[in-house]
Short mmCIF file of all heavy atoms in Angstrom, two decimals:
data_model
loop_
_atom_site.label_atom_id
_atom_site.label_comp_id
_atom_site.label_asym_id
_atom_site.label_seq_id
_atom_site.Cartn_x
_atom_site.Cartn_y
_atom_site.Cartn_z
N SER A 116 -16.49 51.15 3.37
CA SER A 116 -16.27 50.04 4.20
C SER A 116 -16.16 48.69 3.44
O SER A 116 -15.23 47.84 3.63
CB SER A 116 -17.40 49.98 5.30
OG SER A 116 -17.21 48.78 6.08
N THR A 117 -17.12 48.50 2.53
CA THR A 117 -17.18 47.24 1.73
C THR A 117 -15.88 47.05 0.89
O THR A 117 -15.19 46.00 0.87
CB THR A 117 -18.28 47.28 0.70
OG1 THR A 117 -19.48 47.43 1.52
CG2 THR A 117 -18.42 45.97 -0.07
N ILE A 118 -15.39 48.13 0.24
CA ILE A 118 -14.23 48.04 -0.66
C ILE A 118 -12.93 47.84 0.20
O ILE A 118 -12.13 46.98 0.01
CB ILE A 118 -14.00 49.20 -1.54
CG1 ILE A 118 -15.27 49.35 -2.47
CG2 ILE A 118 -12.82 49.16 -2.39
CD1 ILE A 118 -15.36 50.64 -3.23
N MET A 119 -12.85 48.69 1.24
CA MET A 119 -11.61 48.58 2.07
C MET A 119 -11.53 47.30 2.85
O MET A 119 -10.43 46.75 3.04
CB MET A 119 -11.47 49.80 3.07
CG MET A 119 -11.21 51.12 2.38
SD MET A 119 -9.73 51.16 1.35
CE MET A 119 -8.45 51.34 2.59
N THR A 120 -12.70 46.82 3.33
CA THR A 120 -12.63 45.60 4.10
C THR A 120 -12.32 44.40 3.18
O THR A 120 -11.56 43.54 3.55
CB THR A 120 -14.04 45.35 4.85
OG1 THR A 120 -14.33 46.48 5.55
CG2 THR A 120 -13.95 44.15 5.75
N THR A 121 -12.96 44.38 2.04
CA THR A 121 -12.75 43.21 1.08
C THR A 121 -11.28 43.26 0.57
O THR A 121 -10.62 42.16 0.62
CB THR A 121 -13.66 43.31 -0.08
OG1 THR A 121 -15.06 43.39 0.31
CG2 THR A 121 -13.56 42.03 -0.98
N ASN A 122 -10.83 44.38 0.18
CA ASN A 122 -9.51 44.46 -0.56
C ASN A 122 -8.39 44.56 0.38
O ASN A 122 -7.34 43.93 0.06
CB ASN A 122 -9.56 45.65 -1.55
CG ASN A 122 -10.55 45.52 -2.60
OD1 ASN A 122 -11.32 44.58 -2.65
ND2 ASN A 122 -10.50 46.48 -3.54
N PHE A 123 -8.46 45.34 1.43
CA PHE A 123 -7.31 45.58 2.25
C PHE A 123 -7.36 44.93 3.64
O PHE A 123 -6.43 44.17 3.93
CB PHE A 123 -7.07 47.10 2.39
CG PHE A 123 -5.79 47.41 3.16
CD1 PHE A 123 -4.56 47.05 2.64
CD2 PHE A 123 -5.86 48.12 4.36
CE1 PHE A 123 -3.41 47.27 3.35
CE2 PHE A 123 -4.71 48.31 5.06
CZ PHE A 123 -3.48 47.96 4.54
N GLU A 124 -8.40 45.22 4.37
CA GLU A 124 -8.47 44.63 5.78
C GLU A 124 -8.35 43.15 5.76
O GLU A 124 -7.63 42.49 6.55
CB GLU A 124 -9.73 45.10 6.49
CG GLU A 124 -9.75 44.59 7.95
CD GLU A 124 -11.12 44.80 8.57
OE1 GLU A 124 -11.70 45.89 8.52
OE2 GLU A 124 -11.65 43.75 9.12
N SER A 125 -9.11 42.56 4.83
CA SER A 125 -9.09 41.05 4.79
C SER A 125 -7.67 40.51 4.42
O SER A 125 -7.19 39.48 5.00
CB SER A 125 -10.10 40.41 3.80
OG SER A 125 -9.67 40.54 2.46
N ALA A 126 -7.04 41.14 3.54
CA ALA A 126 -5.68 40.64 3.08
C ALA A 126 -4.66 40.87 4.31
O ALA A 126 -3.80 40.09 4.50
CB ALA A 126 -5.18 41.46 1.88
N TYR A 127 -4.88 41.97 5.00
CA TYR A 127 -3.92 42.31 6.11
C TYR A 127 -4.17 41.21 7.20
O TYR A 127 -3.18 40.64 7.71
CB TYR A 127 -4.27 43.64 6.73
CG TYR A 127 -3.25 44.17 7.67
CD1 TYR A 127 -2.25 45.01 7.30
CD2 TYR A 127 -3.25 43.73 9.03
CE1 TYR A 127 -1.25 45.53 8.23
CE2 TYR A 127 -2.30 44.15 9.92
CZ TYR A 127 -1.29 45.03 9.54
OH TYR A 127 -0.40 45.45 10.45
N HIS A 128 -5.44 40.99 7.52
CA HIS A 128 -5.84 40.11 8.62
C HIS A 128 -5.33 38.62 8.25
O HIS A 128 -4.86 37.92 9.03
CB HIS A 128 -7.31 40.20 8.95
CG HIS A 128 -7.68 39.40 10.10
ND1 HIS A 128 -8.98 38.82 10.22
CD2 HIS A 128 -7.03 39.02 11.21
CE1 HIS A 128 -9.03 38.09 11.39
NE2 HIS A 128 -7.90 38.21 12.05
N LEU A 129 -5.67 38.21 7.02
CA LEU A 129 -5.27 36.88 6.64
C LEU A 129 -3.71 36.70 6.63
O LEU A 129 -3.28 35.63 7.00
CB LEU A 129 -5.71 36.63 5.14
CG LEU A 129 -7.14 36.06 4.96
CD1 LEU A 129 -7.38 35.68 3.53
CD2 LEU A 129 -7.57 34.95 5.88
N SER A 130 -3.00 37.74 6.26
CA SER A 130 -1.55 37.65 6.45
C SER A 130 -1.12 37.38 7.85
O SER A 130 -0.22 36.65 8.18
CB SER A 130 -0.91 38.90 5.82
OG SER A 130 -1.28 39.06 4.49
N GLN A 131 -1.75 38.18 8.78
CA GLN A 131 -1.43 38.01 10.20
C GLN A 131 -1.78 36.55 10.63
O GLN A 131 -0.99 35.94 11.33
CB GLN A 131 -2.34 38.97 11.08
CG GLN A 131 -1.86 40.38 11.05
CD GLN A 131 -2.83 41.20 11.91
OE1 GLN A 131 -4.05 41.12 11.85
NE2 GLN A 131 -2.24 42.09 12.79
N LEU A 132 -3.02 36.07 10.27
CA LEU A 132 -3.40 34.73 10.68
C LEU A 132 -2.45 33.78 10.05
O LEU A 132 -2.19 32.63 10.68
CB LEU A 132 -4.89 34.54 10.20
CG LEU A 132 -5.86 35.32 10.85
CD1 LEU A 132 -7.26 35.11 10.14
CD2 LEU A 132 -6.13 34.96 12.36
N ALA A 133 -2.05 33.97 8.87
CA ALA A 133 -1.16 32.92 8.15
C ALA A 133 0.27 33.02 8.65
O ALA A 133 1.00 31.98 8.46
CB ALA A 133 -1.22 33.20 6.62
N HIS A 134 0.68 34.00 9.34
CA HIS A 134 2.10 34.17 9.70
C HIS A 134 2.65 32.98 10.42
O HIS A 134 3.72 32.44 10.00
CB HIS A 134 2.32 35.45 10.54
CG HIS A 134 3.69 35.62 10.97
ND1 HIS A 134 4.11 35.25 12.24
CD2 HIS A 134 4.84 36.07 10.36
CE1 HIS A 134 5.44 35.44 12.40
NE2 HIS A 134 5.85 35.97 11.25
N PRO A 135 2.09 32.41 11.48
CA PRO A 135 2.69 31.21 12.13
C PRO A 135 2.71 29.99 11.11
O PRO A 135 3.73 29.27 11.27
CB PRO A 135 1.74 30.97 13.29
CG PRO A 135 0.56 31.87 13.17
CD PRO A 135 0.87 32.89 12.12
N LEU A 136 1.83 29.85 10.26
CA LEU A 136 1.76 28.68 9.29
C LEU A 136 2.91 28.91 8.27
O LEU A 136 3.57 27.92 7.93
CB LEU A 136 0.45 28.58 8.62
CG LEU A 136 -0.66 28.01 9.42
CD1 LEU A 136 -1.25 29.03 10.40
CD2 LEU A 136 -1.84 27.51 8.50
N LEU A 137 3.08 30.12 7.77
CA LEU A 137 4.10 30.43 6.79
C LEU A 137 5.46 30.23 7.37
O LEU A 137 6.37 29.65 6.79
CB LEU A 137 3.91 31.91 6.28
CG LEU A 137 2.64 32.15 5.48
CD1 LEU A 137 2.39 33.66 5.40
CD2 LEU A 137 2.75 31.62 4.04
N LYS A 138 5.64 30.75 8.63
CA LYS A 138 6.89 30.57 9.32
C LYS A 138 7.18 29.16 9.54
O LYS A 138 8.36 28.64 9.36
CB LYS A 138 6.79 31.36 10.68
CG LYS A 138 8.14 31.52 11.45
CD LYS A 138 7.93 32.34 12.62
CE LYS A 138 9.24 32.30 13.45
NZ LYS A 138 9.18 33.15 14.65
N ALA A 139 6.21 28.36 9.94
CA ALA A 139 6.44 26.96 10.28
C ALA A 139 6.88 26.17 9.03
O ALA A 139 7.52 25.12 9.16
CB ALA A 139 5.15 26.31 10.90
N SER A 140 6.49 26.65 7.89
CA SER A 140 6.87 25.95 6.63
C SER A 140 8.32 26.07 6.27
O SER A 140 8.91 25.30 5.57
CB SER A 140 5.99 26.51 5.40
OG SER A 140 6.57 27.70 4.98
N GLY A 141 8.96 27.11 6.84
CA GLY A 141 10.36 27.34 6.62
C GLY A 141 10.67 27.96 5.23
O GLY A 141 11.80 28.23 4.87
N ASN A 142 9.56 28.13 4.50
CA ASN A 142 9.71 28.67 3.17
C ASN A 142 8.42 29.23 2.69
O ASN A 142 7.63 28.70 1.96
CB ASN A 142 10.06 27.50 2.09
CG ASN A 142 10.08 27.96 0.69
OD1 ASN A 142 10.13 29.12 0.40
ND2 ASN A 142 10.09 26.97 -0.22
N GLY A 143 8.06 30.49 3.33
CA GLY A 143 6.72 31.06 3.18
C GLY A 143 6.77 32.14 2.10
O GLY A 143 7.79 32.77 1.90
N ASN A 144 5.60 32.26 1.45
CA ASN A 144 5.47 33.37 0.39
C ASN A 144 4.05 33.97 0.52
O ASN A 144 3.09 33.20 0.59
CB ASN A 144 5.55 32.70 -0.93
CG ASN A 144 6.93 32.21 -1.27
OD1 ASN A 144 7.83 32.91 -1.72
ND2 ASN A 144 7.18 30.95 -0.96
N ILE A 145 4.03 35.26 0.50
CA ILE A 145 2.73 35.94 0.29
C ILE A 145 2.74 36.70 -1.03
O ILE A 145 3.74 37.39 -1.29
CB ILE A 145 2.46 37.01 1.45
CG1 ILE A 145 2.50 36.24 2.81
CG2 ILE A 145 1.18 37.77 1.17
CD1 ILE A 145 2.28 37.18 4.00
N VAL A 146 1.71 36.56 -1.79
CA VAL A 146 1.58 37.39 -3.01
C VAL A 146 0.25 38.14 -2.88
O VAL A 146 -0.82 37.56 -2.72
CB VAL A 146 1.54 36.50 -4.23
CG1 VAL A 146 1.34 37.41 -5.51
CG2 VAL A 146 2.84 35.68 -4.39
N PHE A 147 0.30 39.41 -2.91
CA PHE A 147 -0.88 40.32 -2.90
C PHE A 147 -1.22 40.67 -4.38
O PHE A 147 -0.31 41.06 -5.13
CB PHE A 147 -0.59 41.66 -2.22
CG PHE A 147 -0.45 41.57 -0.75
CD1 PHE A 147 0.90 41.47 -0.14
CD2 PHE A 147 -1.44 41.44 0.13
CE1 PHE A 147 1.06 41.40 1.23
CE2 PHE A 147 -1.28 41.35 1.51
CZ PHE A 147 -0.06 41.36 2.06
N ILE A 148 -2.46 40.43 -4.78
CA ILE A 148 -2.85 40.85 -6.09
C ILE A 148 -3.36 42.27 -5.98
O ILE A 148 -4.49 42.61 -5.52
CB ILE A 148 -3.95 39.99 -6.70
CG1 ILE A 148 -3.43 38.44 -6.69
CG2 ILE A 148 -4.28 40.43 -8.10
CD1 ILE A 148 -2.19 38.15 -7.49
N SER A 149 -2.49 43.22 -6.30
CA SER A 149 -2.72 44.66 -6.24
C SER A 149 -3.33 45.09 -7.56
O SER A 149 -4.10 44.34 -8.10
CB SER A 149 -1.36 45.38 -5.95
OG SER A 149 -1.51 46.70 -5.95
N SER A 150 -2.88 46.28 -8.07
CA SER A 150 -3.45 46.76 -9.31
C SER A 150 -2.62 48.00 -9.77
O SER A 150 -2.15 48.70 -8.86
CB SER A 150 -4.92 47.22 -9.12
OG SER A 150 -5.34 47.94 -10.28
N VAL A 151 -2.61 48.16 -11.06
CA VAL A 151 -1.98 49.46 -11.55
C VAL A 151 -2.73 50.67 -10.99
O VAL A 151 -2.04 51.72 -10.75
CB VAL A 151 -2.13 49.48 -13.12
CG1 VAL A 151 -1.81 50.87 -13.65
CG2 VAL A 151 -1.14 48.46 -13.73
N ALA A 152 -3.95 50.46 -10.60
CA ALA A 152 -4.75 51.58 -9.97
C ALA A 152 -4.12 51.97 -8.57
O ALA A 152 -4.45 53.07 -8.10
CB ALA A 152 -6.20 51.12 -9.77
N GLY A 153 -3.38 51.13 -8.04
CA GLY A 153 -2.68 51.44 -6.73
C GLY A 153 -1.40 52.25 -6.98
O GLY A 153 -0.82 52.65 -5.98
N VAL A 154 -1.06 52.53 -8.22
CA VAL A 154 0.19 53.16 -8.54
C VAL A 154 -0.06 54.49 -9.27
O VAL A 154 0.60 55.52 -9.02
CB VAL A 154 1.11 52.27 -9.41
CG1 VAL A 154 2.47 52.99 -9.63
CG2 VAL A 154 1.28 50.90 -8.81
N ILE A 155 -1.07 54.51 -10.22
CA ILE A 155 -1.36 55.76 -10.93
C ILE A 155 -2.85 56.08 -10.71
O ILE A 155 -3.64 55.26 -10.29
CB ILE A 155 -1.09 55.60 -12.42
CG1 ILE A 155 -1.98 54.47 -13.08
CG2 ILE A 155 0.37 55.25 -12.71
CD1 ILE A 155 -2.04 54.42 -14.53
N ALA A 156 -3.23 57.30 -11.00
CA ALA A 156 -4.65 57.77 -10.83
C ALA A 156 -5.47 57.37 -12.07
O ALA A 156 -5.11 57.50 -13.21
CB ALA A 156 -4.68 59.30 -10.73
N LEU A 157 -6.61 56.73 -11.81
CA LEU A 157 -7.64 56.36 -12.82
C LEU A 157 -8.96 56.96 -12.47
O LEU A 157 -9.19 57.12 -11.24
CB LEU A 157 -7.59 54.87 -12.96
CG LEU A 157 -6.28 54.18 -13.43
CD1 LEU A 157 -6.39 52.69 -13.29
CD2 LEU A 157 -6.08 54.55 -14.92
N PRO A 158 -9.84 57.11 -13.37
CA PRO A 158 -11.16 57.64 -13.04
C PRO A 158 -12.03 56.66 -12.28
O PRO A 158 -11.96 55.44 -12.47
CB PRO A 158 -11.82 57.94 -14.40
CG PRO A 158 -10.96 57.32 -15.45
CD PRO A 158 -9.69 56.76 -14.84
N MET A 159 -12.88 57.20 -11.44
CA MET A 159 -14.03 56.46 -10.80
C MET A 159 -13.62 55.33 -9.80
O MET A 159 -14.32 54.44 -9.59
CB MET A 159 -14.96 55.79 -11.83
CG MET A 159 -15.46 56.71 -12.94
SD MET A 159 -16.85 57.67 -12.43
CE MET A 159 -18.19 56.44 -12.66
N CYS A 160 -12.38 55.38 -9.30
CA CYS A 160 -11.97 54.35 -8.37
C CYS A 160 -11.11 54.78 -7.29
O CYS A 160 -10.12 54.11 -6.91
CB CYS A 160 -11.31 53.25 -9.22
SG CYS A 160 -9.68 53.68 -9.97
N SER A 161 -11.41 55.90 -6.63
CA SER A 161 -10.59 56.51 -5.60
C SER A 161 -10.50 55.56 -4.42
O SER A 161 -9.43 55.41 -3.82
CB SER A 161 -11.10 57.85 -5.16
OG SER A 161 -12.48 57.76 -4.75
N ILE A 162 -11.53 54.81 -3.98
CA ILE A 162 -11.42 54.00 -2.83
C ILE A 162 -10.67 52.71 -3.21
O ILE A 162 -9.77 52.24 -2.44
CB ILE A 162 -12.81 53.62 -2.23
CG1 ILE A 162 -13.55 54.87 -1.88
CG2 ILE A 162 -12.65 52.75 -0.96
CD1 ILE A 162 -14.98 54.62 -1.39
N TYR A 163 -11.02 52.09 -4.41
CA TYR A 163 -10.29 50.91 -4.82
C TYR A 163 -8.82 51.17 -4.93
O TYR A 163 -7.96 50.44 -4.49
CB TYR A 163 -10.87 50.49 -6.22
CG TYR A 163 -10.23 49.35 -6.91
CD1 TYR A 163 -10.51 48.04 -6.61
CD2 TYR A 163 -9.30 49.61 -7.91
CE1 TYR A 163 -9.85 46.93 -7.14
CE2 TYR A 163 -8.66 48.53 -8.57
CZ TYR A 163 -9.01 47.24 -8.16
OH TYR A 163 -8.33 46.16 -8.77
N ALA A 164 -8.47 52.37 -5.55
CA ALA A 164 -7.08 52.77 -5.73
C ALA A 164 -6.41 52.84 -4.37
O ALA A 164 -5.21 52.44 -4.23
CB ALA A 164 -7.06 54.09 -6.46
N SER A 165 -7.08 53.43 -3.41
CA SER A 165 -6.46 53.60 -2.11
C SER A 165 -6.28 52.25 -1.41
O SER A 165 -5.23 52.02 -0.78
CB SER A 165 -7.42 54.49 -1.14
OG SER A 165 -7.69 55.65 -1.76
N SER A 166 -7.19 51.28 -1.66
CA SER A 166 -7.04 49.98 -1.07
C SER A 166 -5.78 49.31 -1.64
O SER A 166 -5.07 48.55 -0.97
CB SER A 166 -8.28 49.13 -1.21
OG SER A 166 -8.46 48.68 -2.58
N LYS A 167 -5.53 49.50 -2.97
CA LYS A 167 -4.45 48.82 -3.63
C LYS A 167 -3.12 49.57 -3.24
O LYS A 167 -2.10 48.98 -3.18
CB LYS A 167 -4.66 48.77 -5.13
CG LYS A 167 -5.86 47.89 -5.49
CD LYS A 167 -5.78 46.47 -5.11
CE LYS A 167 -6.92 45.59 -5.63
NZ LYS A 167 -6.73 44.22 -5.20
N GLY A 168 -3.20 50.87 -3.14
CA GLY A 168 -1.98 51.67 -2.73
C GLY A 168 -1.54 51.21 -1.32
O GLY A 168 -0.35 51.01 -1.07
N ALA A 169 -2.52 51.01 -0.41
CA ALA A 169 -2.16 50.56 0.89
C ALA A 169 -1.61 49.24 0.87
O ALA A 169 -0.70 48.85 1.60
CB ALA A 169 -3.44 50.55 1.77
N MET A 170 -2.08 48.34 -0.05
CA MET A 170 -1.57 47.01 -0.26
C MET A 170 -0.12 47.01 -0.68
O MET A 170 0.70 46.21 -0.22
CB MET A 170 -2.49 46.30 -1.25
CG MET A 170 -2.20 44.91 -1.43
SD MET A 170 -3.44 44.19 -2.66
CE MET A 170 -4.49 43.31 -1.50
N ASN A 171 0.22 47.95 -1.60
CA ASN A 171 1.58 48.04 -2.05
C ASN A 171 2.53 48.45 -0.95
O ASN A 171 3.68 47.88 -0.82
CB ASN A 171 1.66 49.05 -3.21
CG ASN A 171 0.97 48.62 -4.41
OD1 ASN A 171 0.62 47.44 -4.63
ND2 ASN A 171 0.72 49.55 -5.31
#
Side-chain angles (χ1 to χ4, degrees):
S116 175
T117 302
I118 299 170
M119 289 304 280
T120 307
T121 307
N122 295 3
F123 183 63
E124 184 192 307
S125 79
Y127 191 99
H128 187 212
L129 276 189
S130 302
Q131 285 181 314
L132 292 170
H134 177 264
L136 285 75
L137 292 162
K138 189 175 172 181
S140 77
N142 174 17
N144 292 273
I145 300 177
V146 179
F147 291 100
I148 305 298
S149 175
S150 170
V151 166
V154 184
I155 62 167
L157 294 168
M159 310 276 280
C160 66
S161 55
I162 304 175
Y163 176 81
S165 303
S166 73
K167 297 299 186 178
M170 186 176 257
N171 293 343

